[in-house]
């Protein structure tokens, strides 16, 4: 079974803090993604990566950065957390080659910025 | 730009009755379509996908979805609902384009409530 793990289930941070969200997958997937999930807005893509050290902006990259130094690990960084970044953050991964592949999601990190 | 719409925020159905969760999509080329389910306090789980071929796709937990190109729809169905099917369901679309990674766009989600 594919496993995608996220470093924290719940996180509370103060405004202005630097926040690191970590994601690890164990299936050698090329692609990794960070989404945020908000009620009524569904999932919105923040950043994705299709290879080590490669990254692409998604729909809402402002206020975020990412790092992918190893194939299995994809980190989301909030440089200076703000209250409007309070949300559920979901990490996902998928294969590239062959047929069209579905994404595998982690359990999510619920971040509260106060 | 590709998009997907889930017109119902919530669907209520009695246990044992058939259920339908609606999804319509918009792409300029051929679509790849997905359904995911999210149980409370959990990440999303893949249910099924349409790539090409048979318009009726079967997936996990007895769910199926019907691809209708003329109506640009991909509705999720199950013949007999279970209370354990109560969850948040997301439709997603990826456009079939040549070269590179194509973004998957998710709908806003439909909450399914199965009433005992």
């Amino acid at each position: 079974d594919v496993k995608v793990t996220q470093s924290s289930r719940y996180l509370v941070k103060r405004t202005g803090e630097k926040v690191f969200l970590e994601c690890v997958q164990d299936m050698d997937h090329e692609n990794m993604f960070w989404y945020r999930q908000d009620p009524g807005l569904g999932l919105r893509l923040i950043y994705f990566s299709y290879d080590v050290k490669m990254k692409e902006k998604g729909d809402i990259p402002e206020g975020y950065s990412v790092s992918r130094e190893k194939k299995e690990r994809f980190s989301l960084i909030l440089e200076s957390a703000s209250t409007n970044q309070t949300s559920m953050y979901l990490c996902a991964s998928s294969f590239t080659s062959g047929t069209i592949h579905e994404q595998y999601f982690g359990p999510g990190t619920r971040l509260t910025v106060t | 730009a590709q998009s997907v719409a889930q017109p119902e925020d919530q669907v209520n159905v009695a246990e044992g009755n058939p259920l339908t969760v609606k999804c319509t999509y918009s792409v300029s080329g051929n679509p790849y379509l997905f359904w995911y389910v999210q149980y409370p306090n959990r990440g999303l789980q893949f249910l099924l996908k349409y790539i090409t071929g048979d318009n009726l796709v079967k997936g996990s937990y007895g769910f199926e979805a019907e691809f209708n190109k003329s109506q640009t729809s991909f509705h999720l169905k199950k013949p007999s609902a279970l209370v354990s099917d109560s969850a948040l369901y997301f439709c997603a679309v990826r456009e079939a384009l040549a070269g590179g990674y194509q973004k998957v766009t998710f709908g806003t989600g439909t909450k399914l409530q199965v009433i005992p």
Side-chain angles (χ1 to χ4, degrees):
Chain A
D1 269 358
V2 176
K3 197 163 186 183
V4 180
T5 57
Q6 295 183 229
S7 50
S8 305
R9 293 299 303 273
Y10 300 94
L11 210 52
V12 179
K13 295 292 182 180
R14 294 188 181 273
T15 301
E17 279 194 85
K18 191 168 187 176
V19 181
F20 293 86
L21 302 182
E22 304 284 339
C23 175
V24 177
Q25 51 93 5
D26 66 357
M27 279 301 292
D28 205 34
H29 285 168
E30 296 89 353
N31 302 314
M32 295 189 75
F33 312 83
W34 276 106
Y35 295 90
R36 61 177 284 176
Q37 180 182 2
D38 300 288
L41 297 177
L43 272 70
R44 292 180 291 167
L45 182 64
I46 304 171
Y47 268 97
F48 68 97
S49 168
Y50 52 88
D51 201 352
V52 176
K53 296 191 185 296
M54 305 303 290
K55 60 184 179 184
E56 292 286 344
K57 293 180 179 179
D59 296 320
I60 51 165
E62 296 78 19
Y64 303 94
S65 63
V66 290
S67 172
R68 194 168 180 200
E69 296 297 318
K70 293 185 178 181
K71 191 174 186 179
E72 68 271 19
R73 189 179 297 270
F74 192 36
S75 303
L76 180 69
I77 303 151
L78 286 67
E79 296 290 343
S80 177
S82 64
T83 55
N84 62 12
Q85 292 178 310
T86 291
S87 185
M88 170 71 89
Y89 289 87
L90 296 173
C91 175
S93 68
S94 73
F95 280 119
T96 294
S97 57
T99 185
I100 303 303
H101 295 283
E102 61 273 19
Q103 296 179 10
Y104 293 83
F105 285 82
T109 296
R110 186 167 294 281
L111 173 67
T112 302
V113 183
T114 61
Chain B
Q2 63 189 33
S3 65
V4 61
Q6 294 181 245
E8 300 152 319
D9 291 335
Q10 181 158 336
V11 170
N12 297 321
V13 63
E15 186 176 23
N17 282 3
L19 69 88
T20 299
V21 182
K22 295 179 180 178
C23 173
T24 58
Y25 66 90
S26 174
V27 296
S28 51
N30 291 321
Y32 300 135
L33 294 155
F34 306 82
W35 276 102
Y36 290 85
V37 60
Q38 186 178 38
Y39 298 103
N41 300 313
R42 304 272 296 274
L44 274 70
Q45 295 179 35
F46 169 73
L47 273 181
L48 50 81
K49 64 184 175 185
Y50 171 82
I51 300 174
T52 188
D54 195 348
N55 288 343
L56 187 64
V57 179
K58 294 190 182 296
S60 306
Y61 312 123
F63 283 93
E64 58 189 25
E66 187 171 8
F67 172 68
N68 188 317
K69 190 171 184 177
S70 62
Q71 296 185 8
T72 61
S73 66
F74 190 57
H75 300 331
L76 182 70
K77 300 182 180 185
K78 188 173 182 181
S80 179
L82 301 172
V83 172
S84 57
D85 293 330
S86 298
L88 188 57
Y89 290 80
F90 289 93
C91 182
V93 65
R94 173 181 159 180
E95 191 163 0
L97 299 171
Y101 175 79
Q102 290 88 45
K103 184 169 69 77
V104 174
T105 300
F106 285 82
T108 52
T110 298
K111 183 178 180 181
L112 174 67
Q113 191 77 37
V114 181
I115 303 160

